[in-house]
Amino acid sequence: MAESKRVVVIGLGYVGLPLAAALAKTVETWGLDIDAGRVGELGRGHDRTGELTAEQLAATPLRFTTDPAACPPADFYIVTVPTPVDAENKPDLSIVIAATRTVAGMLQAGRKPIVVYESTVYPGVTEELCGPELERLTGLTCGVDFFLAYSPERINPGDREHTVDRITKVVSGQTPEVLDKVSDLYGAVTSGGVFRATSIKVAEAAKVIENAQRDINIAFMNEITRVFARMDVSVWDVLAAAGTKWNFLKFEPGLVGGHCIGVDPYYLAHRAQELGVQADVILAGRGVNDDMARWIAQEIHFRRGERAGTALVLGLAFKPDVPDLRNSKVADLAGALGQLGHQVTVYDPLVDAGAALHEYGIALDPLALDRHYDTVVLAVPHRVLIEAGLDRIFGATAPGGLLVDLKNVISPDRRQAASVEVWTL
């Protein structure tokens, strides 16, 4: 960038940390997080999310702190905190509002700073909620003393190809001048370039429909899976045949959790309903996907002759090869099996045992594969599980037991040669 700038990134999770590290290569960057344990770990070279290696942390000039007062006045404040839903699937904006209040305590009018939001929200939140909150707390005028911008995060945990320094970054700003500055900031850190959205609301909307679209497509896969199951037809065989058509969209069935796909559609539906628009398709897709864990548990129970027994669930993270537990539907699956009377053991070599206990009340068993179970569910096929050998997974299935392969990683030949029943979707 042509002139020296300073950035403060608020929130050092899966989104904030990689972004802050990328920005620190070009501008002075501070990383602020309220979790003292997290900041301490980063200072010691450990990233519990697995997004940055110890070597990358050692090399970055990024500065970490839990104290907003320790951050010098900045030109950009970038908010990257989570935006979950509550127990009724309504948007929970409490964290992003709390982060906004933290930013308010750091704003200084003379610099005319830009506050950039990356947290997923429905269209209007940045300008209609966050901006007025900053004005209320500071006495400053939005658009005069400070400015707003929005750039939706596109972090895919565990993805080493679509990293923040390679993807196209959508950017937006309150004024053309702000848009120029935000474009320059992000353009300096990504080889994928920037896309200038026509407004902040457009950028907010783009984010929520990216994930809502994927959610709806997966919901269709899950619905046809349930239909074909009644015909004793594997959806994987159907998809292999249908996938030979040039324009067939290659989505797969499964448990839809995580911080984006399982959450963002509710934000869009909430805003639609506020405006008097029925979000039928969006909510129908969410309904199918939210119910998939229960359906799988019922199918397992049915295939076991409705006899409860011991069950081992392999994998608890919301997707393969990451330790991320956010909105894990595997936890729902384990709970549903338990409600049907099965004695459930869960093992995940990537997930922090303390986090699993805290988030879901699930005590991970590191020795789980050393015993036998009536049912073994390969729910999350981490590479480390597969590379350790399928023989061990088969071996944990008791004679006459059931091995469930939710993601179709066991070959048809291996399934047919198995001495236990193998079921996949």
Side-chain angles (χ1 to χ4, degrees), residues 2-27:
E3 52 185 294
S4 177
K5 299 290 182 183
R6 183 180 294 128
V7 180
V8 175
V9 176
I10 298 92
L12 295 174
Y14 282 89
V15 175
L17 179 63
L19 173 65
L23 288 167
K25 295 177 181 178
T26 61
V27 295

Side-chain angles (χ1 to χ4, degrees), residues 102-259:
T102 297
V103 172
M106 295 188 286
L107 290 185
Q108 293 189 6
R111 293 184 82 95
K112 296 185 181 296
I114 299 171
V115 184
V116 186
Y117 287 86
E118 288 213 3
S119 303
T120 301
V121 294
Y122 54 79
V125 167
T126 300
E127 294 166 292
E128 297 167 15
L129 295 180
C130 298
E133 182 70 358
L134 289 169
E135 286 188 319
R136 183 183 72 83
L137 293 169
T138 62
L140 302 176
T141 301
C142 185
V144 177
D145 300 310
F146 69 90
F147 299 86
L148 300 174
Y150 187 83
S151 179
E153 60 90 1
R154 282 178 168 169
I155 293 294
N156 184 22
D159 189 336
R160 297 297 176 254
E161 179 182 356
H162 302 100
T163 52
V164 69
D165 57 341
R166 297 177 183 174
I167 60 171
T168 300
K169 205 73 169 71
V170 174
V171 295
S172 62
Q174 190 171 4
T175 67
E177 294 76 19
V178 169
L179 180 57
D180 285 342
K181 292 178 180 180
V182 175
S183 297
D184 288 345
L185 180 71
Y186 283 104
V189 301
T190 178
S191 60
V194 297
F195 178 88
R196 295 178 174 223
T198 54
S199 70
I200 289 176
K201 283 185 180 179
V202 165
E204 291 170 324
K207 171 58 180 175
V208 287
I209 73 159
E210 288 171 15
N211 288 319
Q213 180 192 67
R214 185 166 179 79
D215 191 48
I216 291 166
N217 278 286
I218 297 173
F220 175 66
M221 294 293 111
N222 281 336
E223 189 164 272
I224 63 172
T225 295
R226 296 163 75 151
V227 173
F228 295 146
R230 289 294 170 262
M231 306 175 189
D232 199 26
V233 171
S234 170
V235 71
W236 301 108
D237 293 339
V238 177
L239 293 177
T244 61
K245 189 179 180 185
W246 60 91
N247 61 351
F248 186 78
L249 302 178
K250 295 186 178 181
F251 289 88
E252 295 182 349
L255 299 172
V256 185
H259 66 298

Side-chain angles (χ1 to χ4, degrees), residues 7-78:
V7 180
V8 175
V9 176
I10 298 92
L12 295 174
Y14 282 89
V15 175
L17 179 63
L19 173 65
L23 288 167
K25 295 177 181 178
T26 61
V27 295
E28 180 187 340
T29 305
W30 288 70
L32 174 65
D33 199 290
I34 62 172
D35 184 345
R38 170 71 166 158
V39 170
E41 287 176 354
L42 293 173
R44 294 189 295 273
H46 173 63
D47 171 22
R48 68 179 74 155
T49 68
E51 293 300 307
L52 294 187
T53 65
E55 291 75 17
Q56 289 172 318
L57 284 171
T60 182
L62 174 62
R63 307 178 195 189
F64 304 108
T65 184
T66 59
D67 183 7
C71 299
D75 304 282
F76 297 89
Y77 296 91
I78 304 179

Side-chain angles (χ1 to χ4, degrees), residues 250-275:
K250 295 186 178 181
F251 289 88
E252 295 182 349
L255 299 172
V256 185
H259 66 298
C260 283
I261 299 177
V263 172
D264 296 357
Y266 284 124
Y267 274 72
L268 184 56
H270 170 80
R271 185 56 177 153
Q273 291 171 337
E274 283 187 335
L275 297 171

Side-chain angles (χ1 to χ4, degrees), residues 285-360:
R286 272 287 77 226
V288 170
N289 288 340
D290 273 349
D291 188 56
M292 199 61 180
R294 181 206 61 81
W295 180 83
I296 291 171
Q298 290 282 359
E299 284 294 298
I300 291 171
H301 192 61
F302 171 76
R303 291 172 184 278
R304 284 283 305 147
E306 298 188 345
R307 300 187 312 274
T310 56
L312 170 62
V313 175
L314 294 173
L316 182 59
F318 87 87
K319 62 179 285 189
D321 304 321
V322 300
D324 196 343
L325 283 174
R326 288 174 294 176
N327 194 29
S328 170
K329 296 304 177 183
V330 183
D332 292 350
L333 173 59
L337 286 170
Q339 289 176 356
L340 291 168
H342 297 265
Q343 301 173 37
V344 181
T345 300
V346 181
Y347 171 63
D348 192 315
L350 298 187
V351 166
D352 179 76
L357 191 62
H358 178 266
E359 291 295 324
Y360 301 109

